[in-house]
Amino acid sequence: MSGIFKAYDIRGIYGQDLTEEMAYAIGRAYITFTKAKKVVIGRDCRPHSVPLQAALTKGILEQGADVVDIGQCSTPMNYYANGSLKAEGSIMITASHNPAEWNGFKLCRADAVPISGVSGIADIEKIVTEGTFDPPAATPGTCTTHDILPAYKEHIKPFMNFGRRPKLAIDYANGMGIPESQTFADAIDQVALYGDIDGSFPNHEANPLHHATLAKLQETVRAGQFDFGVAFDGDADRAGFIDEKGEIIPMDLITALIAQDVLSREKGVIFYDLRSSRVVKEVIEAAGGVPMMSRVGHAFIKAQMREHKAIFAGELSGHYYFRDNFVAESSSMAVIALCNIVTRAGKPLSELIAPLRKYACSGEINTKVSRDPQEILATLKAKYADGNVFELDGVSVEYPTWWFNVRCSNTEPLVRLNLESTASQAEMEAKRDEVLAIIRG
């Protein structure tokens, strides 16, 4: 059972690891742990999200809490509903980019503050495992429905500052990017790919990190006259971008561009995750912002943003976090920011990105390992002790012309390497191979 309780959410295969019985128990445990009295619940388009929501709601109501059912929605809409409706918690029923047979729960406290493995998921697991629920309430809670989309659209509208009407190609992957994009649909021209909601995800995996899923979008962009292309993941809390030539844009460079747009209106702190190119820090500084490095993972980034009152943060995985969406993701705000930049710049997106492609990056390289990953990290620390070593997340080492970060997966026996050279492609490749040789032993 414990396999479904992950570092950042609860996730498993429906009917096998994650059942209605389990959802009911999680609902009871969530209220036992949080003591919330008003909980927002939304769901993605997987067919089994409906029975899971019913069982989850039953458990919550039995514990005396009220449920606000916002129905089928994106994860960013769920976060917005949590904050704007003054709820004391929220649950999004989704397995994000996972295949159709998977499902899960993303849990939050009030103001969309995430509950992670270390801040509550382990406690909820313990309550479920041991059956130590609070007694059912004498008076059950009530369930009401609420359409959050109109308010979310009004919330997003002020961030539009287009110089002209943009034209986009958008791959919805049959997922929750469809309702998410309603925030800007009236202000753009678009060609939609896979724009019918279908929780079986019949066309391709809803994961823009996997470049193979972007092939049709690239083909569409190259065949037309578009400002850029967008690809949403399954629950639309992530987005990938393609320039007008059909080239895939690294997501850390999108962080840099969005930072420019955000900082054009207000100066302040911008976070970037530690896997990002050093050009991101340079762009933030040039735009008058204060760059700060974050560890990987939405729960950590959101906590750091709150601590430092940051305006915006971007992650290499395509999560873009906005203070103005309750310090949570909004992929529509990311799309709008890019529209602002491109339509006002007087030059195509490829030209805006070109100066940012200045350093040689390895990209994230995953290695399946048989020995203890912590031994690998210790070996790297000893080998590169003459560099600037820090352990914000895994082991990072900086030298004058190159740097690397090695992290361990939270869920798999994988070690992840990101390495960059500011000097040359040759140096990047040589150092990449050198570090990989140590990792692979």
Side-chain angles (χ1 to χ4, degrees), residues 171-195:
D171 184 344
Y172 292 104
N174 303 105
M176 292 296 91
I178 297 167
E180 174 73 14
S181 70
Q182 291 305 302
T183 55
F184 57 79
D186 293 342
I188 69 165
D189 296 325
Q190 68 168 299
V191 169
L193 301 177
Y194 316 125

Side-chain angles (χ1 to χ4, degrees), residues 143-362:
C143 181
T144 57
T145 59
H146 183 84
D147 181 4
I148 198 64
L149 182 58
Y152 186 54
K153 289 174 68 172
E154 288 303 308
H155 170 66
I156 296 295
K157 190 182 297 184
F159 298 98
M160 295 185 194
N161 188 24
F162 303 167
R164 56 173 171 76
R165 190 174 178 89
K167 183 180 179 183
L168 310 182
I170 304 179
D171 184 344
Y172 292 104
N174 303 105
M176 292 296 91
I178 297 167
E180 174 73 14
S181 70
Q182 291 305 302
T183 55
F184 57 79
D186 293 342
I188 69 165
D189 296 325
Q190 68 168 299
V191 169
L193 301 177
Y194 316 125
D196 298 318
I197 290 176
D198 186 338
S200 69
F201 305 111
N203 293 290
H204 64 72
E205 179 188 21
N207 186 5
L209 270 180
H210 289 178
H211 288 183
T213 70
L214 303 175
K216 183 63 176 179
L217 180 62
Q218 291 177 283
E219 177 188 323
T220 301
V221 169
R222 287 169 179 152
Q225 298 292 318
F226 296 96
D227 287 299
F228 56 89
V230 184
F232 291 102
D233 79 334
D235 64 333
D237 65 350
R238 293 189 296 120
F241 295 91
I242 308 295
D243 72 18
E244 83 289 350
K245 295 180 178 179
E247 297 300 316
I248 298 168
I249 303 172
M251 293 173 179
D252 51 347
L253 303 189
I254 295 295
T255 296
L257 280 184
I258 295 176
Q260 288 179 322
D261 179 62
V262 170
L263 291 167
S264 71
R265 295 187 298 273
E266 178 184 356
K267 306 305 181 191
V269 173
I270 306 284
F271 273 97
Y272 59 97
D273 90 63
L274 81 177
R275 301 167 297 176
S276 301
S277 170
R278 291 300 176 260
V279 78
V280 178
K281 177 182 178 182
E282 295 168 5
V283 166
I284 294 167
E285 289 175 333
V290 179
M292 295 190 74
M293 183 185 289
S294 69
R295 65 179 296 183
V296 176
H298 78 108
F300 301 116
I301 291 175
K302 291 168 182 175
Q304 290 174 288
M305 286 183 70
R306 285 185 165 91
E307 179 184 354
H308 295 278
K309 298 180 171 57
I311 309 170
F312 168 70
E315 208 174 355
L316 192 64
S317 53
H319 289 270
Y320 301 108
Y321 307 90
F322 295 84
R323 177 200 61 195
D324 295 327
N325 195 48
F326 297 98
V327 194
E329 297 93 326
S330 174
S331 51
S332 59
M333 290 176 72
V335 173
I336 286 166
L338 218 57
C339 287
N340 289 341
I341 294 163
V342 171
T343 61
R344 301 183 73 83
K347 58 178 69 173
L349 182 54
S350 61
E351 289 186 24
L352 297 172
I353 287 290
L356 306 182
R357 297 183 186 268
K358 60 193 291 190
Y359 302 138
C361 306
S362 69

